[in-house]
Every structure is written in structure tokens, then in C-alpha cells.
Amino acid sequence: MNKLYYLLVLFFSLSLSAATVTPEMLFAKNKLQETTISYTKAMETCFEHTPRVRPKQLEIDGFETELVVNAVNYLHYVALNHCMKDEYIRFLSAVEFYNSLVSSDEKLTVGSFVTDSLKEEVQGELEFKQLPEEVQQHFLQLDVLKVPFDVATLVMELRGDL
């Protein structure tokens, strides 16, 4: 959440000189503020009632720990990105609109907060598809992994770190 707080501070602190205040620029700044707040609220909502998934809920007897970790990491990003999809689009659209109005040295590159999560899902999918078919099918049918869940605690438990 620190990254999201940083985004809020960044957008609220965007200042426009009197020479560059146009209706479009004012709209772009307001849209960035609006979408950043909405993005932050959506992220909080996605994780507000995040269930704690226990290893026993996964019915993983016989699966190697790292195969399980790969599967749950991937499914975590699938669920998170699904939950945040609309906000990602609104946020990135606002950033792109703002960037279309400013000089290259004023462009925002904060979209990486979104694209990193999307990239993690694609990377995870690559690793997931390399798992044995029975492992893939097992995890795809688990309803508890279809909504955002506390992946960090689950992975630590799986690895015996908790």
C-alpha cells in the first residue's frame, strides 16, 4: 500500500503553472486524482476480506512444495488482476491522457504499479503451464484460489517459515 500512498501524494501534488492551465490539463489532473483514489479504494476492497488459505485446504498431499508455490502465486495474480481490471484500465487511461498533454520531461511513468502485477500474472502463467497437467487441474478447480487471498502467508506456511 505504500506505493499507492505515494501515487496519491504524487497526483495531489501535481502543480500546473498558470501558463499551462488549460481546460484539458485541469481535467487530466482531476482525472488522475480521481482514478488514483478509486484505484486505492479498489485495491483495499479486493484485500479487505482476503481469506487466509491454509495448506490443508489445498489438498496437496504428494505435490512438491515448489510446484504448489508456483501454482498459488500464479492464481493469486489471476484473482488480483481480475478484481482490479476495471481500475487498471481507468488508471492507465488517465495516465495516458495526462501524458498526451504534457512535455516529455513531465510525463508520468507510474503505470508500472499496474503493469508489474500484469507481468507477474503472465510470468506465473508461463511457469504454471510447465507444471504437470494433474497439478494444473487440481489448483484450477479450487474455489478458494479464485478470489484474492493472502498468498504471502500461505507461501510461508507451505515452506515451513511460519
Side-chain angles (χ1 to χ4, degrees):
M1 285 300 169
N2 288 341
K3 289 180 181 177
L4 294 175
Y5 177 76
Y6 171 76
L7 286 174
L8 281 172
V9 171
L10 172 69
F11 290 139
F12 282 113
S13 66
L14 287 174
S15 62
L16 302 173
S17 70
T20 62
V21 176
T22 64
E24 293 83 9
M25 188 56 101
L26 198 54
F27 177 81
K29 180 181 175 187
N30 288 336
K31 194 67 172 173
L32 280 171
Q33 292 171 343
E34 183 183 296
T35 59
T36 301
I37 291 168
S38 180
Y39 180 101
T40 303
K41 285 181 181 178
M43 184 66 79
E44 290 170 355
T45 299
C46 286
F47 284 104
E48 188 172 290
H49 302 290
T50 303
R52 182 165 176 193
V53 178
R54 305 272 186 193
K56 66 181 177 183
Q57 291 174 273
L58 302 178
E59 302 170 15
I60 54 173
D61 293 335
F63 292 147
E64 292 177 35
T65 301
E66 286 310 305
L67 297 180
V68 175
V69 168
N70 285 347
V72 299
N73 276 327
Y74 166 62
L75 293 172
H76 160 74
Y77 281 106
V78 169
L80 171 63
N81 292 338
H82 178 75
C83 186
M84 290 294 297
K85 180 181 175 183
D86 292 340
E87 292 306 321
Y88 287 168
I89 293 168
R90 280 190 273 278
F91 178 74
L92 290 173
S93 297
V95 169
E96 287 302 312
F97 181 71
Y98 175 84
N99 283 345
S100 74
L101 299 173
V102 297
S103 65
S104 60
D105 60 324
E106 296 177 290
K107 292 191 185 294
L108 300 175
T109 57
V110 295
S112 66
F113 296 121
V114 174
T115 57
D116 286 351
S117 186
L118 296 170
K119 180 183 139 264
E120 288 294 329
E121 180 181 341
V122 174
Q123 178 67 38
E125 181 180 6
L126 171 66
E127 294 168 8
F128 185 79
K129 291 190 180 247
Q130 293 172 9
L131 299 175
E133 183 68 27
E134 65 273 7
V135 173
Q136 292 179 43
Q137 291 308 312
H138 175 78
F139 285 98
L140 288 173
Q141 56 89 29
L142 295 174
D143 288 337
V144 71
L145 301 179
K146 293 180 181 175
V147 296
F149 58 94
D150 181 357
V151 71
T153 303
L154 177 57
V155 167
M156 287 190 296
E157 286 184 48
L158 288 166
R159 291 184 172 151
D161 297 336
L162 281 182

